[in-house]
């Protein structure tokens, strides 16, 4: 669909054109996210307020973001796209955009400006990493550990994950190569600024897997973001990786005896994509919702419920206290200076190019 007809259907004014009457929008939409505390923060900050403004609207949540690329490929092949908005990582957004499975958008035409009139593209800045990507949050993948299972010397380095002598017991890692291979090379002595150059070679990939081999028998592999928090709460692992917001929920909201290990945290971005090929009524609804859900106030509101930094610059000053606990949220953000002493920025473009091949190699390694 041409950009002009999209904008008119959602009531967005074009330069030199009168505001068109909004086309009738679908009375239901399916949003895809990651489940758990993160999805609940989206419900609280985005979809519940939006539903209050639109009586009779049905919102269905699907927790399939971890499989978004594969499922959208299958839907496209079958000619039956059932999702209206999909929450994905930056690298996955790039892949979906490159494959024509996500719609390219004009951020300034389709998204709300900042309260002072700053265009959306300037307000989001460098978080717009793809023409199809609508940023929401800055988050990190990091580690939590059980305070009562690490003895008198709590871990200070991400490389403690490979130290089964000092920290015996099971540890949990995500069941995919992304982040794991970076940590493996980092803890095998590769300088940060050389990691992706090393990973481009077969030898570098084998080196990362060889390092992971040293703890393979001690790993419980997770697929859902809620897995590691549950494993930590149950005492089934001594430490494990997951999203920093899930660990915040476990520690601050549930009061579990768990600490954060910020060292080596991997920064990433999360945001929406609109699947290509939606019928006009569903597209109009998706665009109306995403304009609301990504405005300055809504992104700041999400930070009341989970410790992820809003992707808009104008939202940051509005981040205040937790909605129910009353604690200041800024010190719990991955970008807080005290938490950002030794961080790792994921190379989104590299993963967009190499993800499929390395996924296959990683799964073959797991099966050995």
């Amino acid at each position: 669909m041409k950009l002009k007809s999209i904008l008119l259907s959602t009531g967005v004014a074009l330069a030199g054109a009168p505001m068109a009457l909004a086309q009738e929008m679908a009375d239901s939409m399916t949003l895809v996210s990651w489940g758990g505390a993160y999805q609940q923060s989206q419900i609280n900050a985005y979809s519940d307020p939006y539903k209050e403004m639109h009586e009779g609207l049905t919102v269905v949540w699907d927790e399939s973001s971890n499989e978004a690329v594969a499922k959208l490929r299958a839907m496209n092949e079958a000619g039956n796209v059932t999702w209206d908005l999909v929450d994905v990582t930056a690298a996955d957004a790039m892949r979906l955009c490159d494959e024509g499975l996500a719609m390219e958008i004009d951020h300034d035409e389709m998204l709300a400006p900042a309260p002072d009139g700053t265009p959306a593209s300037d307000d989001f800045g460098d978080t717009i990493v793809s023409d199809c990507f609508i940023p929401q949050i800055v988050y990190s993948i990091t580690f939590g550990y059980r305070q009562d299972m690490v003895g008198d010397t709590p871990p200070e380095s991400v490389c403690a994950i490979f130290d089964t002598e000092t920290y015996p017991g099971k540890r949990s890692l995500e069941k995919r190569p992304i982040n794991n291979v970076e940590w493996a090379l980092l803890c095998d002595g590769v300088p940060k600024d050389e990691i992706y150059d090393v990973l481009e070679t077969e030898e570098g990939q084998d080196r990362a897997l060889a390092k992971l081999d040293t703890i393979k028998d001690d790993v419980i592999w997770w697929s859902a973001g809620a897995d590691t928090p549950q494993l930590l709460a149950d005492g089934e692992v001594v430490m494990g990786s997951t999203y920093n917001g899930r660990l915040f929920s476990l520690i601050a909201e549930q009061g579990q005896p768990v600490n954060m290990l910020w060292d080596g945290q991997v920064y990433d971005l999360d945001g929406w994509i609109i699947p290509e090929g939606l019928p006009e009524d569903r597209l109009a609804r998706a665009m109306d919702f995403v304009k609301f859900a990504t405005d300055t106030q809504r992104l700041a509101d999400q930070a009341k419920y989970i410790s992820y930094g809003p992707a808009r610059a104008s939202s940051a000053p509005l981040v205040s206290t937790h909605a129910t606990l009353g604690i200041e949220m800024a010190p719990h953000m991955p970008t807080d200076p005290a938490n950002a002493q030794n961080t790792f920025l994921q190379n989104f473009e590299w993963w967009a190019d190499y993800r499929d091949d390395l996924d296959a190699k990683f799964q073959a390694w797991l099966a050995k």
Side-chain angles (χ1 to χ4, degrees):
M1 187 187 303
K2 293 184 181 297
L3 177 60
K4 181 175 179 179
S5 63
I6 294 169
L7 296 174
L8 292 177
S9 73
T10 54
V12 178
L14 293 170
M19 175 70 75
L21 292 175
Q23 176 185 320
E24 183 176 348
M25 294 184 283
D27 58 7
S28 66
M29 61 178 175
T30 299
L31 308 178
V32 185
S33 191
W34 303 86
Y38 175 60
Q39 185 170 301
Q40 190 59 50
S41 75
Q42 293 175 303
I43 292 170
N44 293 341
Y46 306 153
S47 65
D48 278 356
Y50 185 77
K51 284 174 64 179
E52 289 179 9
M53 298 164 55
H54 300 276
E55 186 177 352
L57 175 66
T58 299
V59 178
V60 176
W61 286 88
D62 185 310
E63 301 180 4
S64 299
S65 282
N66 199 46
E67 306 169 278
V69 175
K71 288 196 171 186
L72 279 171
R73 286 170 175 166
M75 288 181 188
N76 184 263
E77 184 75 20
N80 183 28
V81 178
T82 59
W83 294 345
D84 299 305
L85 269 175
V86 188
D87 186 305
V88 294
T89 63
D92 281 351
M94 289 177 172
R95 288 201 289 166
L96 291 167
C97 204
D98 289 345
E99 295 178 29
L101 301 178
M103 190 177 83
E104 292 188 11
I105 73 163
D106 183 320
H107 293 79
D108 289 335
E109 292 283 6
M110 297 187 187
L111 304 181
D116 66 359
T118 299
S121 61
D122 291 336
D123 202 22
F124 283 108
D126 291 341
T127 64
I128 299 177
V129 296
S130 163
D131 290 337
C132 302
F133 187 57
I134 305 167
Q136 286 181 83
I137 58 163
V138 179
Y139 72 99
S140 73
I141 305 285
T142 190
F143 285 87
Y145 63 88
R146 288 280 305 208
Q147 300 170 10
D148 55 350
M149 295 173 65
V150 295
D152 297 329
T153 56
E156 296 181 355
S157 165
V158 66
C159 296
I161 198 75
F162 296 98
D163 186 356
T164 55
E165 183 175 342
T166 305
Y167 305 106
K170 295 290 186 179
R171 43 267 282 142
S172 56
L173 292 172
E174 191 171 7
K175 197 175 183 179
R176 59 180 187 168
I178 196 165
N179 300 321
N180 291 324
V181 291
E182 287 100 326
W183 285 322
L185 290 181
L186 187 68
C187 295
D188 201 43
V190 178
K192 268 191 206 179
D193 60 357
E194 297 178 16
I195 282 178
Y196 289 105
D197 290 335
V198 173
L199 278 176
E200 283 192 8
T201 67
E202 289 286 336
E203 295 81 7
Q205 294 170 15
D206 291 343
R207 179 176 175 180
L209 294 176
K211 183 67 174 179
L212 288 166
D213 255 328
T214 64
I215 58 169
K216 190 176 183 181
D217 292 341
D218 298 297
V219 173
I220 296 176
W221 300 98
W222 62 266
S223 297
D227 291 348
T228 286
Q230 190 61 56
L231 290 167
L232 285 166
D234 294 342
E236 293 188 34
V237 296
V238 62
M239 62 183 71
S241 68
T242 191
Y243 313 113
N244 74 281
R246 302 299 181 98
L247 291 171
F248 169 81
S249 178
L250 184 70
I251 296 165
E253 297 176 349
Q254 300 177 35
Q256 292 289 339
V258 173
N259 276 353
M260 299 276 277
L261 178 61
W262 290 107
D263 184 71
Q265 63 167 319
V266 180
Y267 281 152
D268 205 343
L269 303 171
D270 220 61
W272 300 108
I273 61 97
I274 302 173
E276 186 64 77
L278 296 183
E280 291 194 12
D281 61 335
R282 287 171 54 197
L283 177 59
R285 174 63 72 187
M287 290 181 58
D288 189 66
F289 172 77
V290 83
K291 183 175 183 178
F292 169 82
T294 59
D295 73 16
T296 294
Q297 186 61 57
R298 250 48 61 180
L299 291 184
D301 286 347
Q302 187 179 9
K304 296 178 182 178
Y305 304 99
I306 199 161
S307 57
Y308 295 142
R312 274 186 181 264
S314 63
S315 299
L318 303 182
V319 173
S320 56
T321 58
H322 190 277
T324 57
L325 300 177
I327 61 175
E328 290 292 334
M329 292 299 286
H332 298 280
M333 298 294 174
T335 50
D336 185 81
N339 304 329
Q341 299 298 310
N342 183 30
T343 61
F344 189 90
L345 180 61
Q346 189 181 108
N347 188 324
F348 311 125
E349 293 182 357
W350 191 93
W351 275 111
D353 291 340
Y354 287 89
R355 179 69 182 275
D356 286 340
D357 290 343
L358 205 47
D359 270 352
K361 188 168 187 174
F362 187 80
Q363 295 306 320
W365 170 79
L366 277 180
K368 290 181 181 177

